[in-house]
Amino acid sequence: MADPAGSPGAMAQPRVLLTKEPAPQTVPASDLPMKVYEVALNTGTDSSSGLTTAGFRTAKYLPTEWHLNNSEQYHKAFAGCEQAERGRAEAKELAEYAAAAAQRAQQDSTAAVGQRLQDIHFWKAELQREIQDLDAETCLLAAQKLRLERALDATEVPYAIATDNLQCRERRQAPDLVSDEVERELLKEAELIRNIQDLLKRTLMQASNQMRSNRDHKEFCEMDWSDKVETYNIDDKCGKYSNQSTNIQFHPSSVKFEESASTPETWAKFSHDNIYRAEQEKLASINLRALIDNILHDTSEDMRKQCAAVNEAFAKHCEELDDTKHKLEHHLKKILKEIGYQEANIAALKQAIKDKEAPMKVAQTRLYDRSFRPNVDLCRDEAQFRLIHEVEELTESINSLKKKLLESEQTLRNLEDTRMNLEKEIAVKTNSIFIDRQKCMAHRTRYPVVFKLAGYQ
């Protein structure tokens, strides 16, 4: 196939020409994107086209384009000079304004730092006062806690006395082993002391927790106060900086707000909340101290009142025991006298029975001998009837005497049993009096006084 230019292979394909050489590249060409150049098309009356233009430049500017380019350069030069002159005037004005603004901003900043120092000093003083108040309140609460511990220790003796009294009274003998008023009062006393011990233990735990809370909030205030002291020193140093200071330098990275930075409102609220919570804890501690005072006063009074009630019950019961013992001893004397009389009566009855033996023998012998009368003389005469009646009378009298003797002997045995019971009861009452008076009441003299029960010793 023939070449379109008329001679096949006679001329190479036309190259695309650039208007200027590309600038040297610091980055390898392989790393840059390929630049596409557009070839101006030769069109119009002044353009050359066809086979005769082969081998010449095909991308040429037009004369109008050349004049337009020169005009643009003139205009740019004039505009650049005018802009530069205007820029110098603006720069001078800006420098003067910047100097005044910098001086004014520095003065405002110094005043702001000074105001900030006053705020920090205020909160620092408030925190310091609260720390001192909390420390003093904690010391007072510690003294009350010591009173509670002493009062709790003091309850051990009354409780030991009450339980020992109950155990001692268990050694009473029947029928004195009775649930009487003394035992009810002792049980009430033991229960009261146990309840008081539980109350004191709970109050001790509450006081310990309150002291721990006081110390925690005091620590919070101390940490806040320490931060305020450090901040005050930093801001005081910052307030003394001036343009003539020798220890100032650039810190570009400091011109920013920290993400964790607080606002003035949250900053003030933080210290206010610390002081408010500390005040609440201080108020709770004051109320707890007043409560401890009331508890110790009431518990000591209750224990002493119950102790007095127990002592009164003991005294009353001992009086009853003494009275009962005296009555038993009086009846014992009567029983002993009656036993003597009864023994004499029994002896008399036995003698009376013995005295009836001879008449009985006489009568029965008469009857026996008369039974040997012969034949018709064995007669039921008046003498026979009288002898038989005599024997019957004697037999009846002897039987009556023997019956009375049995009754008297039974009465004597009953009197002996009564005597033994009375002697046993007297021994029981003596034992009960010994337990209540010598053991229990003597032990109760060791009962602590109110001053010690209130925790002052």
Side-chain angles (χ1 to χ4, degrees):
M1 191 174 183
D3 191 2
S7 58
M11 184 180 293
Q13 294 181 356
R15 295 183 179 179
V16 177
L17 298 180
L18 300 176
T19 59
K20 60 179 179 178
E21 294 292 329
Q25 299 177 355
T26 58
V27 181
S30 59
D31 297 337
L32 295 174
M34 183 177 293
K35 187 172 182 181
V36 180
Y37 294 93
E38 295 182 358
V39 179
L41 299 177
N42 294 321
T43 58
T45 57
D46 296 327
S47 63
S48 60
S49 61
L51 297 178
T52 58
T53 62
F56 293 95
R57 293 180 60 182
T58 60
K60 293 181 179 181
Y61 291 102
L62 299 177
T64 56
E65 293 175 343
W66 181 81
H67 288 292
L68 180 61
N69 180 62
N70 292 334
S71 177
E72 289 178 354
Q73 297 300 324
Y74 303 152
H75 179 74
K76 287 181 179 179
F78 177 78
C81 291
E82 191 178 42
Q83 184 177 4
E85 184 178 357
R86 188 169 55 252
R88 288 198 313 273
E90 291 176 355
K92 181 179 179 181
E93 183 181 356
L94 180 61
E96 293 174 354
Y97 176 79
Q103 184 179 3
R104 185 172 57 255
Q106 190 177 84
Q107 292 175 351
D108 293 343
S109 297
T110 304
V113 171
Q115 181 62 42
R116 186 65 173 173
L117 285 172
Q118 294 180 7
D119 295 341
I120 295 172
H121 178 75
F122 169 77
W123 287 113
K124 182 166 66 71
E126 291 294 316
L127 287 167
Q128 186 173 3
R129 180 183 58 80
E130 194 62 36
I131 290 168
Q132 293 172 350
D133 291 347
L134 263 182
D135 187 58
E137 177 59 33
T138 303
C139 292
L140 293 175
L141 185 58
Q144 292 292 76
K145 181 173 177 288
L146 180 60
R147 281 187 61 197
L148 281 173
E149 293 171 349
R150 289 173 177 172
L152 181 60
D153 292 338
T155 59
E156 294 297 330
V157 172
Y159 187 72
I161 290 174
T163 54
D164 181 73
N165 289 164
L166 289 169
Q167 291 173 359
C168 285
R169 299 188 92 243
E170 289 295 323
R171 295 196 292 270
R172 292 176 297 168
Q173 300 173 359
D176 278 9
L177 189 61
V178 62
S179 178
D180 53 5
E181 183 66 21
V182 177
E183 182 171 342
R184 287 192 291 271
E185 292 295 336
L186 282 172
L187 290 173
K188 189 186 298 184
E189 183 180 44
E191 181 67 20
L192 173 66
I193 295 174
R194 281 196 298 267
N195 292 336
I196 288 175
Q197 287 176 340
D198 292 339
L199 175 62
L200 293 179
K201 288 177 182 178
R202 291 196 304 270
T203 310
L204 264 175
M205 183 65 67
Q206 188 176 356
S208 298
N209 293 336
Q210 185 62 53
M211 289 177 63
R212 189 180 304 112
S213 182
N214 287 354
R215 293 192 181 101
D216 290 343
H217 284 80
K218 176 174 171 284
E219 183 179 354
F220 295 152
C221 290
E222 286 175 341
M223 292 174 62
D224 195 3
W225 177 85
S226 178
D227 291 343
K228 294 292 184 293
V229 171
E230 184 176 358
T231 303
Y232 186 88
N233 293 334
I234 292 173
D235 281 357
D236 184 56
K237 182 175 67 173
C238 292
K240 294 177 181 178
Y241 284 144
S242 66
N243 294 333
Q244 289 74 35
S245 300
T246 58
N247 55 345
I248 57 175
Q249 57 184 339
F250 289 109
H251 296 282
S253 60
S254 64
V255 187
K256 62 179 180 180
F257 287 108
E258 298 292 340
E259 293 182 358
S260 60
S262 62
T263 63
E265 291 77 14
T266 58
W267 173 82
K269 186 177 184 300
F270 180 79
S271 297
H272 176 271
D273 290 345
N274 281 336
I275 293 174
Y276 176 77
R277 287 191 292 266
E279 284 288 338
Q280 293 299 112
E281 293 302 326
K282 185 174 70 174
L283 181 61
S285 181
I286 293 172
N287 293 335
L288 181 58
R289 284 195 295 111
L291 177 64
I292 291 173
D293 269 333
N294 294 332
I295 287 175
L296 291 176
H297 177 269
D298 293 343
T299 55
S300 59
E301 288 294 329
D302 291 344
M303 290 176 65
R304 287 304 306 180
K305 287 181 180 178
Q306 184 60 33
C307 175
V310 173
N311 291 340
E312 183 179 355
F314 263 119
K316 183 178 179 181
H317 187 63
C318 287
E319 289 180 1
E320 292 176 351
L321 287 174
D322 286 336
D323 182 64
T324 304
K325 181 185 174 185
H326 292 155
K327 290 179 180 179
L328 289 173
E329 289 173 346
H330 174 70
H331 286 289
L332 178 61
K333 290 179 182 179
K334 293 177 65 176
I335 288 294
L336 290 174
K337 186 181 292 186
E338 188 64 31
I339 286 174
Y341 292 155
Q342 195 66 24
E343 287 176 347
N345 181 46
I346 290 172
L349 287 173
K350 287 181 179 180
Q351 186 63 40
I353 293 171
K354 188 176 182 180
D355 291 342
K356 298 299 182 291
E357 290 179 357
M360 178 65 75
K361 289 179 182 179
V362 171
Q364 288 181 355
T365 301
R366 287 175 178 176
L367 287 172
Y368 180 74
D369 289 344
R370 295 187 85 230
S371 66
F372 290 103
R373 289 176 296 169
N375 300 320
V376 178
D377 287 335
L378 186 62
C379 178
R380 298 178 181 177
D381 53 7
E382 183 65 24
Q384 185 71 18
F385 283 110
R386 188 70 189 91
L387 286 173
I388 291 174
H389 184 67
E390 181 185 4
V391 170
E392 289 177 352
E393 286 181 352
L394 289 172
T395 301
E396 184 178 355
S397 297
I398 290 171
N399 290 335
S400 298
L401 290 172
K402 286 182 177 180
K403 182 179 179 181
K404 180 58 69 175
L405 177 62
L406 290 176
E407 291 177 357
S408 298
E409 288 176 346
Q410 183 63 40
T411 301
L412 179 61
R413 286 193 295 270
N414 292 338
L415 290 173
E416 290 290 343
D417 291 340
T418 303
R419 178 185 65 82
M420 293 179 61
N421 289 334
L422 287 174
E423 290 176 348
K424 181 180 178 182
E425 284 296 322
I426 292 172
V428 169
K429 297 297 181 290
T430 303
N431 178 67
S432 298
I433 292 173
F434 174 77
I435 289 174
D436 284 355
R437 181 171 289 156
Q438 304 299 326
K439 289 288 187 180
C440 296
M441 294 186 71
H443 196 188
R444 294 188 69 80
T445 58
R446 296 173 50 201
Y447 208 94
V449 297
V450 177
F451 192 74
K452 188 171 184 178
L453 292 174
Y456 288 110
Q457 289 182 345

